[in-house]
Amino acid sequence: SDFIAQTLANQGVKHIYGGHGGAVIPLVNALATHEQMTWVYTRNEAAASLAAAASAKLTGRVGVCVATSGPGASNLTTGLIDALQDRVPLLALTGMKPTHAVDLSEFQMIHQEELFRAAGLQFSRTVMSPEAIPAMMRNALAVAMREKTAVHLALPVDVQSAMLTQPGV
């Protein structure tokens, strides 16, 4: 999660919008304590995605929103569609249960990639190993900026908790 936070800071992200939940604790802790960015806690995930889209419209930089698993992730949809329609770069980061529980009938398990693809996102991926974080972040941010569109990365909580030594993208 520290790697993700530094990568976003290196991309010029100043504000990150979102809520909290068990599936994003490591990520939110890293983002909220990063000295170059401001964590903006929102009352619900729809507000987070709309705020991130508005930020991207006003600054030209990628907007970033965070939501926990299940209904938290699905509530991002309104702002993601707004970013798609207005052609602004937005990165949605969502939490998931640990990798060993992905695709099992667990509490609040939804297929996030399928949900966001149905909403129109061309880039929605699940990061299944810590080693994949650098490439996935690089790809997601490149697509968001190049295509001026919303993209999504789902991060299982154990992947968020892993330590990476590589500097941010």
Side-chain angles (χ1 to χ4, degrees):
S1 292
D2 291 334
F3 180 90
I4 293 168
Q6 189 57 51
T7 299
L8 295 173
N10 290 352
Q11 291 292 314
V13 173
K14 301 294 182 200
H15 297 89
I16 299 176
Y17 306 88
H20 219 296
V24 288
I25 290 172
L27 180 60
V28 170
N29 288 345
L31 298 172
T33 59
H34 196 283
E35 60 191 34
Q36 293 175 275
M37 296 181 293
T38 302
W39 170 255
V40 181
Y41 180 78
T42 59
R43 180 159 244 160
N44 63 54
E45 296 84 1
S49 62
L50 288 165
S55 176
K57 290 173 193 179
L58 294 171
T59 67
R61 293 190 198 108
V62 64
V64 180
C65 57
V66 174
T68 192
S69 60
S74 66
N75 286 340
L76 292 175
T77 307
T78 301
L80 299 182
I81 292 171
D82 180 60
L84 282 169
Q85 291 181 340
D86 288 347
R87 298 196 47 83
V88 296
L90 187 146
L91 171 62
L93 299 170
T94 58
M96 292 180 72
K97 296 295 181 183
T99 52
H100 71 273
V102 171
D103 287 332
L104 300 178
S105 295
E106 294 284 332
F107 178 66
Q108 295 189 343
M109 174 61 194
I110 62 169
H111 292 280
Q112 295 180 23
E113 288 184 43
E114 292 175 23
L115 170 72
F116 292 126
R117 284 193 188 127
L121 273 70
Q122 298 300 308
F123 188 99
S124 179
R125 307 284 191 279
T126 300
V127 183
M128 292 300 288
S129 73
E131 297 77 23
I133 291 173
M136 292 291 243
M137 286 291 293
R138 184 174 48 253
N139 291 350
L141 290 165
V143 170
M145 292 303 292
R146 182 182 63 242
E147 304 294 327
K148 303 293 187 214
T149 192
V151 297
H152 164 251
L153 289 177
L155 299 149
V157 71
D158 56 324
V159 172
Q160 295 171 43
S161 298
M163 297 299 292
L164 292 176
T165 56
Q166 231 178 338
V169 177

